[in-house]
Amino acid sequence: MRRLAFRLLSVAMALSALAVVPPGTASADPGPAAAPVPLTGAQLAASWAGPLSTRGRYVVDASGNRFKLRSGNWSGAQGTWQGSGSTTDPANNQAGQVSYNLPLGLDRAPLAEILAGFHSLGLNSVRLPFADAMIRDTTVVPDAAVAANPQLRGSTPLQVYDAVVAALTADGFAVILNNHTTTYRFCCGLDGNERWNSSQSTGQWVEDWLFMANRYRANQRVVGADLRNEVRRDVWDDPNWGMGDGHDEYAAFEEAGNRILQADPDLLIIMEGINWQGIPLAGLPHGRPMLKPVATLSNTLIDSGKLVYSAHFYAYTGSANTGASSGMGATGDPRYQDLTPEQLAAVVDEEALFVTRSGQHFTAPVWISEFGAGGRGSTDAKEHAWLDDFTAILAAHDTDFAVWPLVGWHNGGVPQDSWALLHYDRAGRRLSIEDPGDWRADAWNRLVTAPSYTGPVPEAPRWNLLDLDHTDQNVSRHMLALPDWSSGNRKGDCPDGQRLIGLGRSDSRGLCTDAGQPAAGPGEWVTVTDERYVTDGDWASGYNKLQCPAGHLAVGYGVHNNAMASLLCAPAATALPATARVLWFEHGDNRPPASTGADSAASDWAPGYYKGQCASGEYVAGVAMTWRWLHGGVPDALLCRPVA
C-alpha cells in the first residue's frame, strides 16, 4: 500500500505540473478505496435523463448536469473468432470463449443478473461493440448460446443485440453503440478490420451507421455512436488525418458524424484517434498518434455540442510500441508500463487529455473508451504498477472512462479471460473483481469513487475550425437545406448559431465561434461576391473587398484554389454597431494573445500560415485581398466590428 500511495502522489504531482487537473477536482486519495455503492435500476434511471450533449470538456444530460461516463465494454457482438479453423471451436476463439457473435454471458446468466453485476461495479453506461456483419446476419443463434435467456431463442444476432440494448436502457444505463469490426473476426493487427472501409466501402459503413441510428432513435438512453474501433494500418496503407484521400479518418468520421446527426440529432458522436501508423521496424517511422492530430485539425459537426473524442491505453503497448512481444511487429520502443508516473502523465496528456483544455477549437470531452489489465493470476509487476498509475491519472483529471472487458467465463474460480471484471461459470455463479483475490479491486474502486465535478455545467463559448483544404465543409443545417450557395468554389459555413471570426492566409482554414453571438434575425442569408456592400468608406484602399450588408455577420466563405471567392452573411436580430477596425495579417499572425488561454488563441488552427482573428466580442464584417504582388487573392485583412 505504501508503494501505491507513493505512486499516486507522484502521479498527482506530475498532473499538477502539467496543469491538467481541472479546478475543483481532488487529487487521488492514497488510502484504501471502498467498493462503490450499487444503485438499483430505478435509482440509476432517476439520476439522469437523455439525450446527452457536451459543454466544454464535460458530457451533460438533458438538464445540463454533468454526466460522467463511468463505463465498461460488454464485448462479444463484434465476434470472438480469431481467424482460423472452426468458428465454434473454443481453441479458435479469444480466451476460449465462443460468443456466437452475441454479448458474452447470455448462455450462463440471465440478463437481469448480468446487469446487477454492472450496477455492483458502479457503472452508469455501457459501450456495446458490434460488427457490421451483425446487421445483415440472418442466422438464428444456437439455443445453447442463450441458454440462460430462453426468451432469446430463435433470434438473430441483431435481435439479441436489440434485446440487450432494451434491457440495459430499461435498467437505467446509457448505451454507446460501438462499431468495433467489419467482420466477426477478432482481434487485431492485420485482420481485415483495420479501417472503417476495410472489407467494405466507406459508403456501406455510413449506411450501416444510419441503420443503427434509426433503429434506436426512439430510445433516448441510447446516447452515442462510437464510430470505429482502433483505426490502424493495413498491409499496404496507413490511415491519415486530413489528407483528403480514401484513408482520411478525419474526413470519413466527420462525414459519418454529420450524416448520423441528420438522422438522429440526439446522439453523441464519438471519434477515436488513429491507433497506429507506419511499419513497426527499427529505422522506419511508426507510432500511435492517438488524438495528437486534433491539436491542429479538429472536427466540426452540424451540432457542435455532440462531439466526444476517445482514446485507448494498455500497459503492454506504447507510443511507438505495437504491443507485440516477439516476431513481426515487435520493436524495442518503450511500453506505457516502462514509463515513470511523471512520464506516463505527460504522455497521456500529449496523446489524449490535452483535448479537454478549455476555450480552444479542439475543446471536447475525452472518453478513455478502453483500458484494462489482467487480474487473477497475473504476476506482472509492471502492469500492476501501470494500472495504479493510469487510474490515478484518470481519477485526478476527472476523466470519462470505459474498462475492457466487463464479462468473461470462469471454471472453478479460474477466469478464462482474466481481464474481465465479472466472470460466470456454466452454472451462472459470478466471480467479481470485488471478490477476494483480484489485485485490481483497489485501483478500480479508487477510480469509480473518485471525487468528480457534479451538478450543472455552465455554458461556455464554442470554437470550431473550418477546413477547406480538399473539399466543402458545410456544417450549417440552415444552408444544407438550400441550394449550393457558391457554385464552383470550395466553401465552408459555420454551425448554426456561430459566426466566422478568423481566417488563415493561403490555406483556406477558418475559425467560428458563438462567443457573444447575437441572435439570428429573419431574412435571407446573402452570398457576397463583389463590393456592392462597401458603402461606408474604403477601409482597405487598393484591395479587393468582400463585405457583408449592414446588420449581417459573416458565417461562411468560399475559395477558388486558395483565393477568396465569396462571403456568406447572415442577418442579426438586432442592429449591430457600425464602428470597425481593420486587422491586417499579410506579414504575420494577428490573433488575440495566446496568454489569454481562451479565444482558441493557445492552439494553432492553421499551422504554417499567417492568421487573422477578430476578438471574441467582434464579428467579421468583411475580407480584403489582392492579386497584386503575387498575393494570389488570399485574405490579407479582416474588417472586425463589435457585436454589441
Side-chain angles (χ1 to χ4, degrees), residues 205-525:
W205 172 68
V206 172
E207 289 303 314
D208 286 350
W209 260 120
L210 294 177
F211 173 88
M212 296 294 279
N214 284 311
R215 191 172 187 86
Y216 303 110
R217 180 173 179 172
N219 188 340
Q220 289 205 322
R221 293 195 189 277
V222 177
V223 299
D226 183 359
L227 296 181
R228 187 70 179 189
N229 186 71
E230 294 185 2
V231 172
R232 55 196 185 274
R233 181 185 176 89
D234 62 15
V235 174
W236 301 110
D237 296 297
D238 280 324
N240 67 77
W241 195 268
M243 291 179 64
D245 59 16
H247 302 154
D248 183 350
E249 180 183 337
Y250 162 83
F253 277 26
E254 192 158 291
E255 176 191 356
N258 283 324
R259 292 281 304 279
I260 291 167
L261 287 173
Q262 288 172 298
D264 183 355
D266 288 340
L267 287 175
L268 295 175
I269 303 299
I270 300 168
M271 302 184 182
E272 184 184 336
I274 296 174
N275 194 264
W276 188 265
Q277 285 178 325
I279 300 173
L281 290 174
L284 295 178
H286 57 268
R288 196 179 303 279
M290 305 280 263
L291 296 177
K292 288 191 286 187
V294 174
T296 54
L297 185 55
S298 58
N299 295 90
T300 298
L301 298 173
I302 57 176
D303 297 310
S304 58
K306 291 295 182 180
L307 175 61
V308 175
Y309 285 111
S310 68
H312 294 178
F313 288 92
Y314 289 108
Y316 65 93
T317 65
S319 299
N321 193 307
T322 64
S325 57
S326 60
M328 276 297 281
T331 68
D333 299 292
R335 304 176 192 269
Y336 291 122
Q337 66 185 19
D338 297 328
L339 306 180
T340 67
E342 295 80 7
Q343 290 170 333
L344 181 62
V347 166
V348 172
D349 180 69
E350 178 187 20
E351 295 178 355
L353 297 187
F354 77 90
V355 173
T356 63
R357 292 174 187 155
S358 64
Q360 308 308 310
H361 66 85
F362 52 69
T363 301
V366 170
W367 184 39
I368 304 302
S369 55
E370 284 189 28
F371 75 100
R376 298 171 193 276
S378 168
T379 59
D380 187 337
K382 280 192 170 184
E383 186 176 59
H384 291 201
W386 175 85
L387 187 67
D388 291 343
D389 295 341
F390 186 70
T391 53
I393 292 169
L394 300 186
H397 193 272
D398 195 9
T399 300
D400 302 77
F401 60 85
V403 68
W404 179 278
L406 285 175
V407 177
W409 297 353
H410 79 91
N411 298 307
V414 179
Q416 290 184 223
D417 180 359
S418 69
W419 287 57
L421 272 59
L422 303 171
H423 306 87
Y424 297 89
D425 68 8
R426 292 189 180 276
R429 290 181 290 259
R430 185 178 81 196
L431 181 65
S432 169
I433 190 176
E434 301 294 353
D435 293 327
D438 196 317
W439 67 270
R440 302 170 299 172
D442 192 60
W444 172 255
N445 293 338
R446 190 181 309 281
L447 173 61
V448 176
T449 62
S452 296
Y453 185 100
T454 59
V457 177
E459 292 277 10
R462 300 186 187 278
W463 302 85
N464 285 108
L465 184 152
L466 291 180
D467 167 33
L468 308 188
D469 290 355
H470 304 290
T471 189
D472 293 354
Q473 193 174 32
N474 290 312
V475 286
S476 161
R477 284 183 179 271
H478 176 86
M479 295 306 297
L480 284 169
L482 298 174
D484 188 339
W485 59 268
S486 188
S487 180
N489 302 312
R490 300 196 314 277
K491 67 203 71 72
D493 40 51
C494 300
D496 292 341
Q498 296 188 24
R499 67 188 182 279
L500 188 66
I501 198 169
L503 285 173
R505 190 174 187 274
S506 302
D507 76 332
S508 306
R509 297 277 181 94
L511 186 67
C512 303
T513 189
D514 61 4
Q517 176 86 356
E524 296 294 324
W525 294 26

Side-chain angles (χ1 to χ4, degrees), residues 74-77 80 97-115 118 144-149 152 160 164 406-410 422-429:
W74 191 359
S75 65
T80 52
Q97 302 172 142
V98 183
S99 74
Y100 291 98
N101 311 319
L102 313 176
L104 274 165
L106 299 177
D107 59 331
R108 300 187 168 216
L111 265 169
E113 290 189 18
I114 295 175
L115 269 52
F118 295 171
V146 291
N149 293 273
L152 299 178
V160 173
V164 167
L406 285 175
V407 177
W409 297 353
H410 79 91
L422 303 171
H423 306 87
Y424 297 89
D425 68 8
R426 292 189 180 276
R429 290 181 290 259

